[in-house]
Amino acid sequence: MRVVEAFRDSYGTEPAGVWHAPGRVNLIGEHTDYNDGFVLPFALPWGVTAAVSPREDGVLRLRSLQAGEPVTLATLDEAEGWARYVAGVFRALRQAGPERDRGQEQGQGRGRSVGGADVVIDGDVPRGAGLSSSAALEVVVGTALNELYGLGLTRMEIALAAQRAENDFVGMPCGIMDQAASALGEEGKALFMDCRSLGTRNIPFDLASHGLQLLIINTGVHHELADGQYARRRKDCENAARHLGVDALRDVTDLAGALARLSGDERRRTQHVVTENHRVEAVIGMLRAGAVREIGSLLNASHLSLRDQFEVSCAELDVAVESAVRGGARGARMTGGGFGGSAIALVADDRVESVRESVTGAYAERGWAAPEIYPATPAAGARRLL
Ligand code: GLA
């Protein structure tokens, strides 16, 4: 395995173990996770593989086969660029230590405190595609440390530590969806999650037996300002919830009444979040009933809502979605945070070529580089490989 050879080359020993965590794509339930709502992502066949050995001296040595120079961090605060996602997980798990130590005093402790590590990373999530390569990196590191230091964390606790790494250390105020999908995904299934209770259920999502494919259309663009926009959307939602006197937009039960009390951005954001939660529930109902082909119209409705009410789409995503539907897709929507990244399209096997042609043609007409288009199937979540 490439990552093991690189580990030997870099550190002159065998790694203590090799772990893998996948990227994710979200079927439906967008910008709902930080509103305590519902999401339905699944783990992808692409992800991040890490060869890791623990170190007792607290030092962190990192090498990525996709990035330049290896780095050595005597302290976590020295981390820059991609290394921050790794360092952030160390920080989150070290901070969890005191709680654990208290447990230990009461005789229920687990593991020893997190020291340092030698790490080599190899990833194949298409980057900048909005498919959560950063969550995969966080979760693979959390999964490795959990085993190496005997922390006894559940998969959800690893996902939460990974989210804390991103919120507190990297400074991106993301929700829990991406890390949870990476940690808890199962082959052939989508992960339904209630982001308030953190309850999850793996829902069978077998496209092939229905003669369907889910195509990912990677626009290849990532618009500037996107990062600040995410935080602003979150604020809009929190402000709207405060005006309505509810803990989170998840709690809005009378949408018409709520909209009558709001205006402007807060009104639009609320309309999206509340209807998107209903769409997730409707998709779950259809999947349970075996009506996989019928979810297309809900994907379309989700896209329009993200475009017009939540305002996180962009021209490249809109063209991808519209041209996919024109080419015969049963439904399509932007997926992930927005402002670039990827769209998904649900397509019957015999329409895949015409959808590809339609999307590629629409991009060519505008003088845009051809988007990458590939089918996605639900894969297993984080796991040990060696
Ligand atoms: C990003 C965040 C997620 C989620 C999506 C939008 O991927 O990391 O937590 O909020 O955007 O659904």
Side-chain angles (χ1 to χ4, degrees):
M1 202 186 277
R2 201 161 80 150
V3 77
V4 174
E5 283 156 29
F7 192 97
R8 267 186 223 126
D9 285 351
S10 301
Y11 308 124
T13 58
E14 294 295 310
V18 177
W19 289 264
H20 176 85
R24 67 93 188 94
V25 67
N26 190 16
L27 188 56
I28 197 160
E30 215 67 83
H31 288 279
T32 46
D33 60 352
Y34 52 83
N35 290 296
D36 280 1
F38 305 129
V39 293
L40 189 60
F42 63 81
L44 289 168
W46 313 293
V48 176
T49 302
V52 188
S53 283
R55 290 175 67 98
E56 298 305 326
D57 61 1
V59 171
L60 197 49
R61 292 197 293 178
L62 303 176
R63 178 178 164 199
S64 159
L65 301 187
Q66 281 71 46
E69 290 297 293
V71 289
T72 299
L73 307 174
T75 66
L76 299 179
D77 290 325
E78 293 164 19
E80 288 172 12
W82 67 272
R84 287 178 308 152
Y85 296 95
V86 178
V89 175
F90 275 79
R91 168 69 48 83
L93 292 178
R94 281 180 186 169
Q95 283 172 344
E99 286 162 36
R100 207 177 49 234
D101 295 344
R102 269 199 302 281
Q104 234 146 21
E105 280 159 27
Q106 292 156 16
Q108 28 175 286
R110 32 188 198 184
R112 51 201 177 100
S113 50
V114 175
D118 288 334
V119 184
V120 176
I121 299 291
D122 190 9
D124 63 356
V125 185
R127 271 208 267 176
L131 302 177
S132 296
S133 54
S134 50
L137 175 56
E138 293 152 5
V139 170
V140 79
V141 170
T143 306
L145 294 181
N146 184 43
E147 276 197 44
L148 290 172
Y149 286 98
L151 306 180
L153 301 174
T154 64
R155 287 169 177 267
M156 184 58 83
E157 285 170 332
I158 293 171
L160 288 165
Q163 184 199 12
R164 274 204 306 283
E166 191 143 344
N167 290 171
D168 302 345
F169 200 83
V170 180
M172 156 68 180
C174 65
I176 185 63
M177 171 172 73
D178 307 345
Q179 291 81 6
S182 180
L184 288 119
E186 280 181 19
E187 193 176 341
K189 294 176 180 159
L191 181 77
F192 171 56
M193 177 167 174
D194 176 335
C195 298
R196 168 169 283 164
S197 69
L198 300 183
T200 61
R201 217 166 316 147
N202 289 94
I203 310 279
F205 187 53
D206 179 5
L207 293 158
S209 70
H210 293 271
L212 293 167
Q213 297 188 26
L214 192 81
L215 299 181
I216 291 180
I217 305 166
N218 178 3
T219 66
V221 303
H222 174 77
H223 289 289
E224 297 293 324
L225 297 176
D227 309 330
Q229 291 289 344
Y230 185 90
R232 274 179 50 186
R233 294 299 179 283
R234 242 193 119 136
K235 263 263 138 6
D236 291 344
C237 292
E238 284 161 13
N239 290 341
R242 205 171 29 251
H243 279 149
L244 295 169
V246 291
D247 286 342
L249 290 182
R250 145 74 174 275
D251 299 308
V252 173
T253 44
D254 170 14
L255 178 60
L259 295 181
R261 293 169 58 196
L262 297 170
S263 62
D265 287 348
E266 288 176 26
R267 186 173 197 276
R268 285 192 289 274
R269 309 307 180 234
T270 301
Q271 161 120 35
H272 166 74
V273 172
V274 175
T275 59
E276 185 78 351
N277 278 331
H278 288 312
R279 284 186 287 271
V280 176
E281 292 182 293
V283 166
I284 297 285
M286 288 181 183
L287 293 184
R288 287 232 173 85
V292 185
R293 302 172 78 93
E294 314 310 320
I295 70 172
S297 57
L298 290 157
L299 302 183
N300 292 333
S302 171
H303 184 76
L304 294 181
S305 180
L306 287 158
R307 185 189 74 185
D308 300 337
Q309 311 297 335
F310 217 72
E311 299 176 286
V312 289
S313 190
C314 62
E316 292 85 352
L317 286 167
D318 293 341
V319 168
V321 165
E322 285 154 22
S323 58
V325 172
R326 257 201 322 276
R330 298 195 60 90
R333 58 182 288 273
M334 56 155 277
T335 185
F339 303 106
S342 296
I344 52 172
L346 183 72
V347 187
D349 289 335
D350 61 359
R351 294 295 181 92
V352 167
E353 271 327 299
S354 78
V355 167
R356 277 182 192 279
E357 277 166 27
S358 177
V359 174
T360 310
Y363 266 57
E365 257 171 45
R366 289 164 180 80
W368 297 343
E372 283 184 296
I373 303 177
Y374 32 82
T377 47
R383 61 201 180 273
R384 186 171 190 153
L385 299 182
L386 282 178

